[in-house]
Amino acid sequence: MTGYRQVLAVPGMASLLGVSFLARTAITADVMALTLYVVLGLDMSYAAAGGVAATLTAGMALAGPLLGRAIDRRGLRTVLLATVSVQVAFWLSVPALPYGALLGAAFAAGLLMVPTQPVTRQAIAAMTTAGQRRAAFALESVQGELSYLVGPAVVILCAANMPPGVVAWGVGAMIVAGGAGIALLDPPLRAEGEVEAGAAGRPPRREWLSTDMVAVLVMAFGITTLLGGIDLAIVATLEEAGQVSWAALVVAVLGVASVAGGLTYGSLSRPLPTWLLLGLLGLVTIPVGLAHDWPWLCVAVVASGLLTAPTLSTVADAVSRLAPAGVRGEATGLQSSAQSAGFALGSPLAGVVIDVSAPGGGFVAAGLAGFAAAATGYLLSRRRPGPRLLTPSRRESAERVATQSAPPGAPCGAQPDK
């Protein structure tokens, strides 16, 4: 645990992780808050609630690279204050909006959602050394898992005891508080040596959106496709067994296992390739469908959970290494968009397979999707294009990758794992 103590001892790191956890917990709960408001507050169907959730998610998926590019150009505080202002207006107006207007407003709120996750990842890359970075990103992935465990559960509990409009206000207040808190902290998004490189201007996208970066984005998409499919398959399996009330416990076991896996991975002395972790995650997910009741399902999802946070952390680490400082905001935004798109696809994909086969087929579909993304990422990362001019941005990225991947005393030239 020495690595984690060193990371948390970095000036500003503990406060950044604490404030971003508040915002991320609220953001993971926003879909649940809007769903319950539409169903309980507007007395409409779950299909109508799903429409609002889909428009919000679509906006967030499209916004990632746009907000990241704005941060690269305009600075962190400018973007945070703009997005916080939009969130204040949206969440205050939710109880007063008719359904049609709520659909449009949810899309706009998604487009201008506070970019907590990509900002946190950028700050981690800037504030930590190469030796601290794996542990730092492991903490970030664990933070994400905890937010998914806490956020929706708190919203459901509150909705049982107060009006859904008040719950929506509470979620909005947490998003606003988290975004404002990050703006007050104003963490650095570039290391000291990267500030001068960033001042040289933005490199063209063709220079940094290489096959290696595309490979990482494909795997980012694949892991969330897998996770979205697992969630639906758990519910479907337990519904068939007449035990759907135990779904929350199974999901909690999955989350706790992921936290344990993330903390363990962050303390290892050597990293593992993203394609290997994701491939293993896909393979261990496929046989989960053999479990048909909640006790065995709790046991079966442990292996998947142990590999989830480590895979997410290696994706974030790889993006931070491959992106030059001047475009890191756009790159982390692309990562967030890829992961949002994966979540959006995972449930429908598993649902189609479940409908034509059995609940266990959802786990097979999720596992195969993850494995296919891992295989694609592996093949892309092993492609070696012909010699190209070494531009300043490529030189910066190559030097960062070599420095962070080579062991102490070794020559900086080995190609890093993905």
Side-chain angles (χ1 to χ4, degrees):
M1 295 297 173
T2 303
Y4 293 121
R5 286 196 294 269
Q6 292 176 348
V7 169
L8 293 174
V10 173
M13 181 63 73
S15 55
L16 172 65
L17 291 176
V19 173
S20 66
F21 176 70
L22 173 68
R24 288 181 71 174
T25 300
I27 291 172
T28 60
D30 57 5
V31 168
M32 182 63 71
L34 290 175
T35 297
L36 293 175
Y37 171 73
V38 172
V39 172
L40 302 177
L42 298 181
D43 195 24
M44 298 181 72
S45 67
Y46 279 99
V52 175
T55 57
L56 179 75
T57 303
M60 293 174 65
L62 292 173
L66 300 177
L67 290 177
R69 190 178 182 89
I71 290 172
D72 291 334
R73 288 184 166 184
R74 304 296 181 185
L76 176 59
R77 277 187 170 172
T78 300
V79 173
L80 284 177
L81 292 176
T83 54
V84 164
S85 299
V86 170
Q87 296 307 310
V88 170
F90 172 70
W91 290 99
L92 284 177
S93 65
V94 163
L97 293 176
Y99 179 75
L102 184 60
L103 281 174
F107 181 74
L111 277 176
L112 291 169
M113 181 58 69
V114 177
T116 304
Q117 191 175 59
V119 166
T120 302
R121 290 169 178 161
Q122 282 183 264
I124 286 173
M127 296 166 67
T128 56
T129 64
Q132 297 170 334
R133 206 152 289 153
R134 188 169 69 258
F137 278 118
L139 281 177
E140 187 270 338
S141 65
V142 166
Q143 180 196 67
E145 290 299 314
L146 290 174
S147 68
Y148 277 103
L149 285 174
V150 174
V154 170
V155 165
I156 292 171
L157 180 63
C158 291
N161 296 283
M162 60 185 67
V166 175
V167 175
W169 281 344
V171 168
M174 288 179 63
I175 294 174
V176 169
I182 296 175
L184 288 174
L185 292 174
D186 196 21
L189 302 185
R190 294 175 185 171
E192 291 184 5
E194 295 174 333
V195 174
E196 295 180 1
R202 290 176 55 84
R205 191 174 287 114
R206 65 178 180 275
E207 291 187 9
W208 59 269
L209 195 57
S210 60
T211 53
D212 286 346
M213 180 66 81
V214 171
V216 174
L217 295 176
V218 167
M219 290 185 283
F221 173 80
I223 184 173
T224 50
T225 302
L226 182 149
L227 295 176
I230 285 180
D231 287 344
L232 186 67
I234 288 171
V235 174
T237 299
L238 294 178
E239 184 177 26
E240 184 179 68
Q243 301 173 343
V244 73
S245 60
W246 293 97
L249 175 62
V250 177
V251 172
V253 170
L254 179 67
V256 170
S258 180
V259 169
L263 292 175
T264 302
Y265 178 75
S267 64
L268 297 180
S269 59
R270 292 181 62 85
L272 295 174
T274 304
W275 62 264
L276 177 60
L277 288 168
L278 180 56
L280 291 174
L281 176 57
L283 291 176
V284 300
T285 298
I286 292 173
V288 175
L290 297 175
H292 298 295
D293 54 18
W294 73 265
W296 283 110
L297 207 52
C298 285
V299 174
V301 298
V302 168
S304 297
L306 289 173
L307 290 166
T308 296
T311 309
L312 289 168
S313 69
T314 60
V315 168
D317 190 15
V319 170
S320 74
R321 286 189 286 108
L322 292 169
V327 294
R328 194 172 292 146
E330 184 174 356
T332 55
L334 282 171
Q335 177 195 346
S336 295
S337 292
Q339 291 178 327
S340 295
F343 274 122
L345 176 66
S347 291
L349 175 64
V352 169
V353 175
I354 289 169
D355 287 340
V356 301
S357 58
F363 293 106
V364 175
L368 289 177
F371 185 82
T376 302
Y378 172 80
L379 294 175
L380 285 173
S381 65
R382 291 308 183 264
R383 285 184 60 189
R384 289 291 169 261
R388 296 189 298 174
L389 178 64
L390 190 62
T391 62
S393 63
R394 289 194 193 115
R395 185 181 298 111
E396 175 197 344
S397 182
E399 289 173 353
R400 186 188 313 112
V401 169
T403 301
Q404 295 176 10
S405 60
C412 294
Q415 182 68 23
D417 287 330
K418 297 290 174 293

